[in-house]
Amino acid sequence: MHYLWKRTLLMTGATLLSSGMAYAQTPDLSDPPEIEGGVVGDHGSVTIRMGLGLAETSPQYISSQYFADILDQRSEGRISVNIFPNSQLGDDVQMMEMLQTGTLDMTYPSSSPATGYVEELSVFDLPFLLPTREAAIEAMRSDAAQEMLDAFDGTGIKALAFAENGFRQLSNSAREVASPEDVAGLDVRGLSVRTMENPVHLAIWQALGANPTPMAFGELFSAMEQGVVDGQENPWSTILTSNFYEVQDYGSETRHVYTPFIKMISQRTWDRLDPEYQELVQEAALQAADYEIQLSAEYDDWARDQLEERGMQITRLNDEQIAAFQEAVQPVYDEWAPRIGEDLVAEFQRLAGSTAAQ
């Protein structure tokens, strides 16, 4: 198989070292699975442009290189993928709009900004609904989740597969947060927290007494550096690979929301592909998604420890503290569960319960 992704990661590390950036390490990640399956027929040459939000060291990027390798090897080089990381082509919302117009072939957004296309995706944004990675994987591989992917039909976007963004954690530059009262501030002002452009996320932080501020991810670092917002919430791996520790002193392991990624392709691009190429792209998307979930799991605790080594004070919340956050955000369920669908919420709760019982 090809090992393009490994060469790229090594080159990225060298570039970061030479540019003086602090982050130049990666954990001991699993090798990608061997590429299986025969070579597809010759249906012409295709170049796919894929835009990503995260950095070259992220599981999102590394798994996308694996996706590219699968297509390259099984098409004997006839299908190539050019990857543009670091929000070079825009934020998640902008890149999804580019898919609709056919000006971009693929992207890999979080599910949260995609709720404007499929409202049922908001179930993933409900706080503390999926308590473990096992429950989240069970939910992402369920029939209900597949129905959400299918619901993109007619939007100009074809959704191929769920993968892992991960459990979202709070970071900020103002103070340690171990309780909802710390978010609200009590005798001081509530934290200003950047959120994705998603109404459920806004409701979560409003319930906690914060001042939520929707903002594109590409604008976030400078906004925190300049004090426009106090903090943000993302998985530890994103906080690390985006160098947020340079402008954030405090982290709290809240695990308040589990967010998937969705690998997407423009419907216009999809329709131009020969059916055999379509089948290959779908298979590669699912295989790369499984690999991304594995990488994300390997990255998560390691990234938290690396953040501590770089000076971030991280508070690990115990069960009692988590319960206080859960109680504080109950109004979010009261408002949003009926809008999302009580049956869908109950199904996800059932999936979470079944994994807990295993």
Side-chain angles (χ1 to χ4, degrees):
M1 66 170 289
H2 297 282
Y3 288 95
L4 175 61
W5 74 274
K6 283 188 172 180
R7 296 197 302 274
T8 302
L9 191 57
L10 290 170
M11 291 170 64
T12 300
T15 301
L16 293 177
L17 283 169
S18 65
S19 65
M21 292 174 65
Y23 179 71
Q25 298 182 40
T26 55
D28 186 15
L29 298 172
S30 296
D31 286 340
E34 290 293 326
I35 296 174
E36 298 179 351
V39 174
V40 297
D42 185 350
H43 306 291
S45 296
V46 175
T47 300
I48 294 173
R49 296 171 70 249
M50 177 189 289
L52 305 180
L54 300 185
E56 294 93 333
T57 45
S58 66
Q60 184 190 59
Y61 182 89
I62 297 168
S63 65
S64 295
Q65 286 284 11
Y66 176 53
F67 171 76
D69 281 351
I70 295 171
L71 297 184
D72 177 70
Q73 180 167 312
R74 293 193 57 196
S75 70
E76 293 188 329
R78 290 185 292 274
I79 304 177
S80 60
V81 182
N82 295 334
I83 303 172
F84 299 86
N86 290 305
S87 302
Q88 291 178 44
L89 304 182
D91 61 34
D92 283 349
V93 172
Q94 291 168 327
M95 287 191 285
M96 284 187 286
E97 291 171 349
M98 293 169 70
L99 260 58
Q100 289 183 291
T101 61
T103 53
L104 180 64
D105 299 308
M106 293 189 70
T107 190
Y108 210 169
S110 295
S111 61
S112 299
T115 57
Y117 299 94
V118 177
E119 188 173 20
E120 289 81 1
L121 287 168
S122 298
V123 70
F124 284 105
D125 297 307
L126 289 173
F128 304 104
L129 178 61
L130 298 171
T132 65
R133 176 172 281 108
E134 291 74 22
I137 293 172
E138 187 83 6
M140 289 191 293
R141 297 295 180 258
S142 68
D143 291 341
Q146 183 60 51
E147 289 176 5
M148 295 180 212
L149 297 180
D150 295 340
F152 278 90
D153 184 38
T155 66
I157 294 170
K158 181 172 178 61
L160 299 172
F162 282 110
E164 177 169 297
N165 189 349
F167 285 102
R168 305 184 76 81
Q169 323 285 4
L170 174 66
S171 74
N172 81 96
S173 59
R175 54 185 175 266
E176 180 184 7
V177 172
S179 68
E181 290 76 17
D182 295 329
V183 176
L186 294 182
D187 296 332
V188 294
R189 65 178 177 83
L191 293 176
S192 57
V193 178
R194 176 267 177 184
T195 70
M196 289 186 283
E197 297 170 84
N198 176 282
V200 182
H201 285 229
L202 289 170
I204 291 170
W205 292 103
Q206 287 168 347
L208 291 170
N211 175 26
T213 305
M215 183 182 300
F217 184 79
E219 302 170 6
L220 178 54
F221 186 96
S222 61
M224 293 189 296
E225 187 175 37
Q226 296 166 16
V228 175
V229 293
D230 297 315
Q232 60 81 57
E233 40 90 62
N234 262 298
W236 292 132
S237 60
T238 300
I239 295 171
L240 178 65
T241 59
S242 301
N243 298 321
F244 289 167
Y245 57 87
E246 295 179 358
V247 291
Q248 299 278 272
D249 297 323
Y250 303 97
S252 298
E253 195 160 46
T254 51
R255 296 169 64 88
H256 52 277
V257 168
Y258 180 95
T259 311
F261 283 130
I262 307 175
K263 190 178 286 292
M264 300 175 168
I265 187 168
S266 168
Q267 189 69 51
R268 297 189 186 192
T269 302
W270 179 262
D271 290 343
R272 289 196 296 267
L273 296 176
D274 180 89
E276 192 174 18
Y277 280 5
Q278 290 178 346
E279 184 178 355
L280 173 57
V281 169
Q282 179 67 76
E283 288 179 9
L286 291 170
Q287 291 165 4
D290 287 342
Y291 182 46
E292 196 276 340
I293 292 170
Q294 180 179 355
L295 292 176
S296 184
E298 294 169 357
Y299 229 111
D300 195 38
D301 288 345
W302 179 88
R304 180 196 61 200
D305 295 342
Q306 289 294 308
L307 289 166
E308 287 185 311
E309 287 189 17
R310 286 159 173 75
M312 181 178 280
Q313 179 183 325
I314 293 180
T315 302
R316 292 164 170 79
L317 304 185
N318 60 35
D319 291 344
E320 183 178 346
Q321 291 169 317
I322 291 292
F325 277 92
Q326 290 174 312
E327 182 178 356
V329 298
Q330 183 57 44
V332 179
Y333 279 84
D334 298 338
E335 177 185 1
W336 279 95
R339 296 175 61 175
I340 295 168
E342 299 278 7
D343 290 345
L344 179 59
V345 174
E347 173 64 8
F348 269 48
Q349 290 172 329
R350 184 192 67 79
L351 291 170
S354 67
T355 57
Q358 290 174 3

